[in-house]
Amino acid sequence: MSWELTGSDQMIKMMELADFKSTEMLVPVEMIGFFGNVGDRLAIIYQNREYPAYLEAEGGNTILKWSKVLIRKLGETFPDYESWFQGEQPDVFIPRMELTKSNDAFSLSLITGASATASDAVKASDATQKTIPAGVGLRELLLKWIAGYPNYYPRDFRFSFKDIINEEIPKVIESLEAIQSGHYQVRGFAGDTQWAEIPWVKVVEKKDQRLDHEDLYLAYILAKDSGKLYLAIVYGKEGLGIRSLSEQAAKYREKIETENFKTSHQEVLLASASLVSGIVCYREYSETDMPEDGVLATEFEAFRKMYEQCLIKDRDADKTLVSNETIEKISTETDCGETIETVSASPIMEVEADPKTLVEAAKTVAEPQLTKTAAVVAKDLDANRSDEVIDSDDSLLCNAEDNREPQPVFPSPPPDKAMETETVAPCESRNPAETPFDQEAESAQNGQIISGKTQKICEKAEFEEDHAIASDANKATPVEMLTRPLVRYPAQNDELTPALRLVQAKMGNRGYYYPAELIKRYYLSIKSKPFVMIKGRVGSGKTSFPRLFAEAIGATSENSRFKRLLVGKNWDDDTHLFGRLDSRGHFIPGPIMLMLKAAKEYPDKPHFFLLDEMDRSPTAEYLRLLLEGINGSQEPFLKREDFGSDITAYREYGSLNFPDNLYFIATINEGLGYFPVPDRVIDSGNVIEMPVVEIGVFPDYGSPVGDSDWENSAFKIHSQAKGLPEILERLMNLLKDLQTLLIGHDCPMGYRGKNEILAFGINSGAEGLFTEEEIIDLAIVQRILPALALDPKADHVVYQELACFLLDDGLREKCLNLPLDRFIGHYEVLLKDQVIPCPRSGQAVVKLLKTK
């Protein structure tokens, strides 16, 4: 065996016959450092696919364990390896393996001759791939999947059984004639670091992966009890509820012929109600009902054709939505709830008629207003104040609030026409306090759709400027006006780690169904700062949620690691929390002192203190000492004189300060009869608003069985977490831009807020819970907006700029140039189409702006 280190990040090994057969390779002592530490999981990249490997110690040696599939791939690249090693060959032709290290991955190349290259290896593998007869072996692999998965599910994830799902079944599917066209991507998933609760093999048409979003796909999915396997067409758009997914799946069923395949969900057994709701149609297989390879291939082709029909229908619908030729028979509801119909309109053409004639004609027709998609908004914004509508998505709506005469948009008239047009739309005096912004109006005339803002032109310069903007906008498409393509940003992230998934299951087992994103936000908030405020309506679960979370990880009132205290009316000091002297001079400890003592006695376990309805009394009167501890003070809460002559109590409680294993949660009601929470309190922690309770089919979060007693270390940054410097750098750059925005409005964040947002983001990045952009989005919701609500200097402009934070520069500028009422309308369309980079804070801002 010959190893050679050719650089700090590159190594070459001369291959032996055993290297093409065995999944284990003995690593010399001097090469161990190249791979990392014993016990590490390595990612080997070969021919653009990732294969797991593990560095383990056995019998005093270090062994590199490979995937069986990778060994087979190497054999396919060099199919004559057995006969080659049996003969005598010069050293120059000895096959060698080259490993190049990049970050946490190792790129592998197999060189089989003096002139062989990695591209030759890919060609050889492709040639081998094409020799596989279509569908051969699929039945055997599906049976192995059904029979073997329940046996491996409780075992070590490193067993190569997962290669059946990740590699072998996708390989057979890729050999099917229709899939060989290259228009499809096939992927298998058996889990990441542990076996998946719902393993699958997914087929997605590449053309439909717009913006990396796979809403509709074809898949083999294993049932919850592993007794059945489903071939199904599934609609699974992120962020949608069960009802919406079910309704969209029903629409797809109307578009296609499902033949004799099942469409009812009652018998589908999957550990995800959302996944079940999105099934369009399916075919069920079992060990006793598994057809031969030919039938499996035929049925797969039938599903592929149905899948393709759904995509074709979608594309046709998309073309209709963005067509600039006609808008046909669009129905919708008006503001007063009535439905109007506008029959097909002629193609939109540039208006060459006399402007005065058009205005007069426009007075005689109804003025429906178009509800626009993101593409339409982009076009509208390109024209700035002129709203020439080319794309339409939903409907024509009457603008009940605007009864003024419409001003159509048309190409700039010659100079001698300018003053004539001015007389058509004379100035009107208005009360700016009542109508601070011009309203939008749209009109249809002579079969043409003419959209425009009812703008009263007062000066010739304003008129010419408006039409110059409109003219420039007509020369460029919306995409050309943007500095980068629009990307979808789902307003919900439901990916959970196994530990948090178990917490969700335990809470669900008690009859409470909280969204995954809420659980992650709460977990990261208390992990980054031990103080979280939860707002919500009565009955929204703001009290039960922290209690159930604590119980799910082993902190209960029975073991004194969870305590709920209802704030009394008009507390005027902190003795209700810390304690007091009775009439005989004995110190009576308060509930927080008892919790501090319990936390000190069990420093390795997390403890939770819930202050319920914090705003029933002025917090400044009773929360001052506790806030000092929350914000980092290590001084004891009580002084010697607070204990009077009770020396015993002083010895027991006198040294207690705020420990690092205590997490303080407070609920806020807000409204009549409650006291406002001051800025100092708001600035001391994250504010989370409870979502509206959804009523529907109870989701199945999986088995609630697992470790229920977390250590306090779970709430600390993992020292072994990788990539923290990169995460910190990206967050700092985003925070810098956010701070620049806030400084421009004289309401910057302080050091405390900045540091706690960074802590939230670092903890999230260490566990892969949210992206850096999502962290900033949540920071605006949980830290910035609550603080701005208390700042008298914060006007609607700062909220608009926050709503447009990270938005494409061109689109951002155009949005911010709109009046407030039109800004809200356009922004809601962008939110609906999921192209706002910070959708959570965007929704909160729109809600707030509407109240202004």
Side-chain angles (χ1 to χ4, degrees):
M1 180 171 62
S2 175
W3 301 71
E4 180 183 356
L5 197 63
T6 58
S8 60
D9 58 352
Q10 192 172 60
M11 182 272 293
I12 291 179
K13 178 189 183 303
M14 298 301 177
M15 299 290 282
E16 298 178 325
L17 179 60
D19 296 331
F20 288 93
K21 293 185 173 184
S22 173
T23 58
E24 297 183 356
M25 185 180 296
L26 183 64
V27 180
V29 175
E30 62 271 19
M31 295 293 172
I32 296 175
F34 175 82
F35 291 103
N37 300 315
V38 174
D40 284 354
R41 179 186 185 276
L42 311 179
I44 308 297
I45 309 299
Y46 183 60
Q47 297 179 7
N48 296 321
R49 301 188 74 168
E50 180 178 324
Y51 301 90
Y54 300 88
L55 200 63
E56 296 187 349
E58 290 185 3
N61 296 319
T62 301
I63 307 295
L64 185 64
K65 295 189 176 182
W66 304 82
S67 163
K68 284 184 180 179
V69 177
L70 177 57
I71 295 297
R72 189 179 68 232
K73 289 284 186 183
L74 295 176
E76 291 173 355
T77 303
F78 188 31
D80 300 326
Y81 66 87
E82 286 202 65
S83 59
W84 190 92
F85 280 106
Q86 290 172 0
E88 293 184 1
Q89 301 290 343
D91 289 348
V92 71
F93 292 112
I94 294 178
R96 54 196 184 274
M97 174 183 67
E98 183 177 274
L99 280 172
T100 303
K101 181 164 56 175
S102 176
N103 295 327
D104 297 328
F106 296 81
S107 298
L108 187 151
S109 299
L110 182 63
I111 304 172
T112 58
S115 60
T117 65
S119 61
D120 296 329
V122 174
K123 293 176 183 177
S125 178
D126 290 343
T128 306
Q129 174 79 15
K130 293 178 181 178
T131 63
I132 303 173
V136 170
L138 185 57
R139 179 179 188 274
E140 179 184 355
L141 292 172
L142 295 182
L143 287 173
K144 284 183 179 179
W145 187 3
I146 293 175
Y149 203 80
N151 298 325
Y152 283 91
Y153 186 78
R155 301 167 70 184
D156 195 309
F157 183 66
R158 290 176 291 179
F159 281 101
S160 60
F161 175 82
K162 61 181 175 291
D163 294 337
I164 293 175
I165 305 161
N166 292 352
E167 305 288 344
E168 297 181 26
I169 294 176
K171 181 177 179 180
V172 173
I173 293 175
E174 287 170 349
S175 72
L176 298 173
E177 184 176 355
I179 306 300
Q180 283 183 340
S181 63
H183 297 315
Y184 298 89
Q185 183 184 57
V186 185
R187 289 183 290 133
F189 179 74
D192 185 8
T193 57
Q194 65 178 22
W195 298 99
E197 193 162 16
I198 306 179
W200 45 257
V201 175
K202 182 187 294 186
V203 179
V204 179
E205 189 186 40
K206 292 179 180 178
K207 290 186 295 184
D208 192 56
Q209 293 185 31
R210 292 162 295 186
L211 309 176
D212 296 325
H213 202 67
E214 301 170 5
D215 294 345
L216 190 73
Y217 55 88
L218 176 61
Y220 284 102
I221 310 171
L222 189 65
K224 183 178 179 180
D225 61 359
S226 192
K228 297 175 182 178
L229 190 70
Y230 304 104
L231 173 61
I233 298 173
V234 184
Y235 177 75
K237 186 173 183 178
E238 295 179 6
L240 289 187
I242 293 172
R243 180 181 298 176
S244 299
L245 291 170
S246 182
E247 290 173 353
Q248 184 60 43
K251 290 179 181 179
Y252 278 117
R253 281 193 287 273
E254 294 174 0
K255 298 178 182 180
I256 61 175
E257 293 292 336
T258 57
E259 302 179 10
N260 295 324
F261 298 114
K262 295 182 179 181
T263 58
S264 174
H265 299 164
Q266 280 79 359
E267 298 179 2
V268 175
L269 301 174
L270 294 174
S272 169
S274 298
L275 185 56
V276 172
S277 300
I279 291 179
V280 178
C281 64
Y282 67 96
R283 164 72 159 97
E284 182 181 292
Y285 301 109
S286 66
E287 287 188 90
T288 57
D289 179 28
M290 183 66 69
E292 297 299 324
D293 286 334
V295 177
L296 287 171
T298 301
E299 291 180 342
F300 180 87
E301 177 61 14
F303 270 80
R304 187 199 65 79
K305 289 180 178 178
M306 289 189 290
Y307 170 54
E308 190 66 30
Q309 288 174 17
C310 292
L311 297 178
I312 291 172
K313 297 288 186 182
D314 279 350
R315 293 189 194 109
D316 290 344
D318 289 344
K319 290 178 182 177
T320 302
L321 290 176
V322 299
S323 172
N324 62 355
E325 296 179 356
T326 60
I327 301 177
E328 298 183 352
K329 196 174 185 180
I330 306 173
S331 301
T332 190
E333 295 181 356
T334 64
D335 291 343
C336 56
E338 298 176 351
T339 300
I340 62 171
E341 274 192 355
T342 304
V343 292
S344 66
S346 300
I348 298 175
M349 300 178 293
E350 291 188 353
V351 181
E352 301 291 348
D354 181 71
K356 186 182 295 184
T357 304
L358 289 175
V359 173
E360 293 299 324
K363 297 178 183 178
T364 64
V365 296
E367 275 190 90
Q369 178 187 357
L370 282 168
T371 300
K372 299 177 279 290
T373 62
V376 182
V377 171
K379 181 65 177 178
D380 291 347
L381 296 176
D382 286 340
N384 205 356
R385 300 175 204 171
S386 61
D387 294 334
E388 180 182 1
V389 177
I390 299 249
D391 303 340
S392 169
D393 159 67
D394 293 321
S395 54
L396 295 169
L397 296 178
C398 285
N399 189 342
E401 297 178 358
D402 194 350
N403 296 320
R404 290 170 292 168
E405 296 177 0
Q407 177 76 17
V409 175
F410 39 85
S412 300
D416 57 351
K417 295 279 185 179
M419 294 306 296
E420 180 181 354
T421 309
E422 284 178 340
T423 63
V424 176
C427 292
E428 292 182 6
S429 61
R430 295 186 302 173
N431 183 348
E434 295 178 357
T435 53
F437 302 108
D438 292 326
Q439 300 293 317
E440 177 182 2
E442 299 175 350
S443 62
Q445 192 271 337
N446 292 335
Q448 294 172 330
I449 292 184
I450 306 170
S451 311
K453 176 181 176 183
T454 310
Q455 182 178 1
K456 308 305 179 184
I457 313 256
C458 297
E459 297 179 3
K460 179 177 179 180
E462 291 180 345
F463 172 85
E464 293 175 343
E465 179 186 0
D466 286 350
H467 288 280
I469 293 172
S471 178
D472 290 339
N474 290 332
K475 297 176 183 178
T477 65
V479 174
E480 291 168 345
M481 297 295 288
L482 301 176
T483 58
R484 63 172 186 243
L486 290 175
V487 178
R488 288 189 185 275
Y489 299 92
Q492 193 166 313
N493 181 338
D494 285 337
E495 293 297 322
L496 287 176
T497 60
L500 291 177
R501 193 180 304 122
L502 180 59
V503 169
Q504 187 183 46
K506 289 179 179 295
M507 297 167 82
N509 195 46
R510 299 285 298 276
Y512 292 83
Y513 301 95
Y514 295 110
E517 179 163 297
L518 174 65
I519 293 173
K520 287 195 293 187
R521 289 172 61 181
Y522 177 75
Y523 165 65
L524 289 173
S525 295
I526 59 178
K527 187 172 181 176
S528 58
K529 180 70 178 286
F531 181 39
V532 178
M533 291 157 280
I534 303 179
K535 296 168 59 177
R537 302 180 181 181
V538 175
S540 62
K542 60 181 182 295
T543 300
S544 57
F545 173 71
R547 174 177 60 82
L548 290 168
F549 184 96
E551 291 176 355
I553 64 173
T556 66
S557 56
E558 286 75 16
N559 60 22
S560 300
R561 288 168 49 198
F562 175 83
K563 174 67 178 178
R564 170 186 173 266
L565 176 65
L566 178 65
V567 173
K569 281 288 187 181
N570 301 316
W571 281 2
D572 55 5
D573 58 41
D574 54 19
T575 58
H576 304 279
L577 288 175
F578 290 98
R580 60 182 176 81
L581 293 173
D582 65 10
S583 58
R584 295 178 297 174
H586 295 159
F587 180 78
I588 308 300
I592 190 66
M593 295 304 289
L594 296 175
M595 179 60 75
L596 292 170
K597 181 182 177 183
K600 182 178 180 180
E601 291 174 352
Y602 298 95
D604 295 333
K605 296 294 183 182
H607 292 65
F608 299 87
F609 192 91
L610 173 60
L611 194 64
D612 207 6
E613 301 192 28
M614 175 175 68
D615 48 350
R616 281 165 58 97
S617 290
T619 54
E621 303 295 333
Y622 70 89
L623 210 58
R624 179 185 60 82
L625 275 180
L626 196 56
L627 281 179
E628 290 179 3
I630 288 171
N631 289 324
S633 172
Q634 290 300 303
E635 292 296 319
F637 283 112
L638 299 182
K639 296 181 170 53
R640 174 66 185 84
E641 54 268 25
D642 294 321
F643 295 92
S645 60
D646 194 338
I647 302 298
T648 303
Y650 172 68
R651 290 172 179 170
E652 189 172 1
Y653 302 104
S655 62
L656 294 179
N657 54 12
F658 200 92
D660 71 350
N661 62 329
L662 176 61
Y663 304 93
F664 195 76
I665 303 98
T667 66
I668 303 174
N669 288 292
E670 291 190 332
L672 295 176
Y674 294 93
F675 293 90
V677 180
D679 347 15
R680 181 168 181 254
V681 178
I682 292 294
D683 188 51
S684 295
N686 284 285
V687 180
I688 296 178
E689 188 155 356
M690 291 296 292
V692 176
V693 177
E694 287 193 17
I695 300 176
V697 179
F698 288 159
D700 187 348
Y701 293 130
S703 171
V705 178
D707 185 12
S708 298
D709 199 5
W710 284 21
E711 297 294 322
N712 192 55
S713 58
F715 294 98
K716 306 304 171 187
I717 296 179
H718 296 291
S719 59
Q720 72 273 23
K722 298 178 181 179
L724 290 184
E726 292 81 3
I727 294 169
L728 184 61
E729 181 180 359
R730 288 193 294 268
L731 279 174
M732 285 296 287
N733 287 331
L734 290 171
L735 279 175
K736 178 183 177 183
D737 294 339
L738 181 60
Q739 179 75 322
T740 301
L741 185 158
L742 295 172
I743 288 173
H745 295 275
D746 195 24
C747 46
M749 71 179 91
Y751 282 108
R752 179 188 298 161
K754 182 263 294 183
N755 290 338
E756 289 163 12
I757 292 170
L758 284 176
F760 186 101
I762 292 170
N763 281 300
S764 170
E767 300 184 46
L769 296 177
F770 291 108
T771 66
E772 283 75 28
E773 290 76 12
E774 288 176 320
I775 295 300
I776 296 300
D777 189 11
L778 293 170
I780 295 174
V781 172
Q782 298 176 184
R783 297 303 303 258
I784 306 301
L785 293 182
L788 287 179
L790 304 170
D791 192 337
K793 298 187 296 297
D795 58 8
H796 69 84
V797 178
V798 65
Y799 289 108
Q800 287 178 262
E801 291 195 17
L802 282 172
C804 294
F805 187 64
L806 298 183
L807 192 61
D808 172 89
D809 291 341
L811 192 56
R812 176 179 181 275
E813 181 181 353
K814 294 174 176 60
C815 278
L816 294 177
N817 285 334
L818 292 172
L820 182 59
D821 53 349
R822 291 188 57 205
F823 170 86
I824 293 173
H826 284 308
Y827 193 86
E828 286 183 320
V829 174
L830 297 174
L831 273 174
K832 180 181 177 182
D833 279 7
Q834 296 185 334
V835 296
I836 295 296
C838 297
R840 301 160 184 81
S841 56
Q843 291 172 349
V845 167
V846 166
K847 182 179 177 181
L848 188 147
L849 289 178
K850 285 183 175 180
T851 65
K852 290 182 176 291

